[in-house]
Amino acid sequence: KNEVEQSPQNLTAQEGEFITINCSYSVGISALHWLQQHPGGGIVSLFMLSSGKKKHGRLIATINIQEKHSSLHITASHPRDSAVYICAVRSVEETSGSRLTFGEGTQLTVNP
Amino acid sequence: SQTIHQWPATLVQPVGSPLSLECTVEGTSNPNLYWYRQAAGRGLQLLFYSVGIGQISSEVPQNLSASRPQDRQFILSSKKLLLSDSGFYLCAWSIRLETGEQYFGPGTRLTVT
């Protein structure tokens, strides 16, 4: 069993739909990251969370530390949101190097 | 502002040939540096990380090695490539001593034939 699991693996939506991607992890963490990988391969960081909720534009990320679960929501989805969304965690045991453990990603396709 | 460069962007190499991928970071000092591989349809796998010049930690025993000859330069190498080395290689950096985010380079797509 992977330390970080994402669901669904693949998600297809129509433009304008509300989207939720889930991430569950099995270790104690100091931070959780949501990343976006564009079709060309480039990766950008969307959020870093240690508690609560963060919002940036149409993107919302939440985390429940007790349940070891995080969700990424996209409101009013658009075809340009099509990408792979990756969840990654930093273990509390990580004392140097800021190593992250990654989920396998969720491929999102938003159709016009 | 900080910038991370990787080259080459794409590479096709025959089995048994050597490999050298280079990553450089601009605009920051003493970064943590990372090499990741992403196989087709798979998640990111940490290969090496470095907290300083000459300090390399290997996460996965394999056919690859890494070196950090300068503070902001990270090199991934192999003496003899295997077919299984094909994938998308990403370099990343983070600010040392912080739990902050990592910043990724554009990646190198390696195909071993």
Side-chain angles (χ1 to χ4, degrees), chain B residues 34-105:
Chain B
Y34 312 84
W35 276 113
Y36 293 95
R37 177 170 61 202
Q38 188 177 40
R42 303 295 300 277
L44 285 163
Q45 180 187 37
L46 178 63
L47 301 175
F48 301 94
Y49 75 97
S50 171
V51 299
I53 295 174
Q55 300 178 60
I56 309 293
S57 295
S58 174
E59 290 293 296
V60 182
Q62 59 211 318
N63 185 41
L64 302 169
S65 62
S67 62
R68 185 170 178 174
Q70 300 179 42
D71 181 45
R72 290 171 288 178
Q73 184 185 29
F74 206 21
I75 297 172
L76 183 70
S77 304
S78 173
K79 292 182 180 177
K80 288 186 178 181
L81 284 168
L82 306 172
L83 283 175
S84 58
D85 292 324
S86 293
F88 189 57
Y89 289 81
L90 286 152
C91 180
W93 72 274
S94 68
I95 298 172
R96 196 177 296 181
L97 301 180
E98 292 191 12
T99 59
E101 54 202 297
Q102 294 185 14
Y103 304 92
F104 290 83

Side-chain angles (χ1 to χ4, degrees), chain B residues 11-19 80-83 110-113:
Chain B
L11 191 59
V12 180
Q13 291 283 99
V15 167
S17 64
L19 173 74
K80 288 186 178 181
L81 284 168
L82 306 172
L83 283 175
L110 171 67
T111 304
V112 182
T113 60

Side-chain angles (χ1 to χ4, degrees), chain A residues 58-79:
Chain A
R58 295 180 294 106
L59 301 177
I60 303 167
T62 64
I63 188 168
N64 185 316
I65 296 295
Q66 287 73 29
E67 294 186 2
K68 295 186 176 177
H69 180 269
S70 175
S71 294
L72 177 68
H73 306 285
I74 305 176
T75 62
S77 60
H78 190 276

Side-chain angles (χ1 to χ4, degrees), chain A residues 3-19:
Chain A
E3 290 183 343
V4 180
E5 294 202 338
Q6 291 184 231
S7 63
Q9 286 187 316
N10 294 280
L11 180 57
T12 300
Q14 288 300 120
E15 184 172 357
E17 286 185 1
F18 180 83
I19 288 164

